[in-house]
Amino acid sequence: MTAPLAWLPSTDPLSRIQNMPALVAELHHLGTTRNPDGESTHTRHVPGSRPPLDLSRLDILPSPGWEPPLLRTLAEEASRVIWEAIDDDTRATHPQPCGLTWTAECAWLAAVWADSRAWLDEADMAMVDDTISVTYARLARAVGLKPPNAITCPACGAPCEIDGPVLACTATRWQPESQRHEYPGPAALEKRWRLAPPMTAAELAAELPVQRKRLNQWHRRGKIKPAPHTTPPRFYPWDVIAQLWPDITAAIEDKDKAA
């Protein structure tokens, strides 16, 4: 890849919009290689044959006289919806770009994004958000960028996403605040628990989203081990965190190894 590209969560649509031109540039850089890692694939040439048309590239990359369908969809189902919803003063502040390009369209969307939220009704906002999500996913897939392994919610098993300093359950994100499943994000977890001293099962159950019964099961199965010479047994909180969110602890430890 031309530069490191990281998967951006759906909770950050503005960053996704700003990142779209880089994904398009990455796809262009990959050229006609079959694989997103840039490795060329050689195939046997058959006289009179033509290489298969890569429809995914045709759908994304512009060329003289060609406006890619994915870009047109972004303009029609996101930019146009926003333009028709905002008032005249906001339009004057954010005039529409001249010409349809990924760079210009995404720059306009990013600039008007914050102002537009006040003018979109529920249906239009859902259409715009869905268009941004689908567009980003297709661009990411075209360059081989994949989301990280899902972090599951300990309470309901639904996927969680990092939302600023919080680990938010996607299934309860739109519920009233008292009903949401939210947990400290990776940085807060590491700071609070990585070097924390051993604790009893009762203490851990009071501090973390895990029941004593589950801790006892993990103990019996050897998934967590008590600290030496502790009676009653005390367990390292970071070992419990590793059972609750293994992808988070693995990523933190991999980061330390690479440092």
Side-chain angles (χ1 to χ4, degrees):
M1 291 187 174
T2 54
L5 293 170
W7 178 269
L8 299 172
S10 60
T11 52
D12 191 2
L14 178 57
S15 291
R16 284 185 161 193
I17 293 167
Q18 294 168 331
N19 196 235
M20 286 178 187
L23 292 172
V24 174
E26 178 69 13
L27 181 61
H28 188 271
H29 172 76
L30 291 175
T32 57
T33 56
R34 175 179 296 180
N35 300 317
D37 60 8
E39 295 181 4
S40 299
T41 304
H42 301 284
T43 56
R44 181 170 174 263
H45 174 68
V46 178
S49 68
R50 293 182 178 180
L53 185 63
D54 189 340
L55 295 179
S56 64
R57 292 174 59 84
L58 191 64
D59 195 39
I60 294 170
L61 295 180
S63 59
W66 173 254
E67 293 179 346
L70 189 62
L71 177 56
R72 289 203 308 269
T73 299
L74 180 68
E76 292 169 1
E77 298 184 7
S79 300
R80 180 178 295 177
V81 172
I82 289 174
W83 180 259
E84 293 177 352
I86 58 180
D87 68 340
D88 291 339
D89 289 341
T90 309
R91 290 180 181 179
T93 304
H94 303 286
Q96 288 184 311
C98 297
L100 184 62
T101 67
W102 282 105
T103 299
E105 202 66 27
C106 291
W108 185 84
L109 274 170
V112 78
W113 186 257
D115 290 339
S116 71
R117 309 309 277 179
W119 296 99
L120 293 169
D121 62 25
E122 186 175 347
D124 285 345
M125 189 176 294
M127 176 183 288
V128 170
D129 291 352
D130 185 62
T131 300
I132 299 303
S133 179
V134 170
T135 303
Y136 179 83
R138 290 182 63 180
L139 291 173
R141 184 168 60 248
V143 300
L145 183 62
K146 299 178 181 179
N149 293 332
I151 302 170
T152 56
C153 173
C156 67
C160 287
E161 288 187 342
I162 298 171
D163 187 3
V166 174
L167 193 63
C169 170
T170 56
T172 62
R173 178 181 294 149
W174 311 117
Q175 299 295 324
E177 187 172 355
S178 61
Q179 299 177 25
R180 297 175 198 161
H181 300 159
E182 293 183 339
Y183 312 95
L189 286 173
E190 181 180 15
K191 182 178 180 180
R192 172 68 178 87
W193 296 113
R194 193 171 188 186
L195 300 178
M199 301 168 64
T200 66
E203 291 169 338
L204 288 165
E207 294 281 347
L208 294 170
V210 62
Q211 297 179 352
R212 289 184 62 179
K213 180 171 67 174
R214 195 174 186 189
L215 290 168
N216 291 334
Q217 289 175 345
W218 287 344
H219 181 203
R220 288 197 302 270
R221 295 173 184 173
K223 292 186 175 182
I224 56 174
K225 296 180 180 180
H229 314 299
T230 55
T231 305
R234 292 175 174 268
F235 305 94
Y236 290 101
W238 195 244
D239 292 343
V240 177
I241 298 290
Q243 294 300 318
L244 289 170
W245 297 294
D247 292 320
I248 289 179
T249 55
I252 290 172
E253 288 164 7
D254 288 345
K255 177 191 67 176
D256 289 348
K257 292 176 183 177

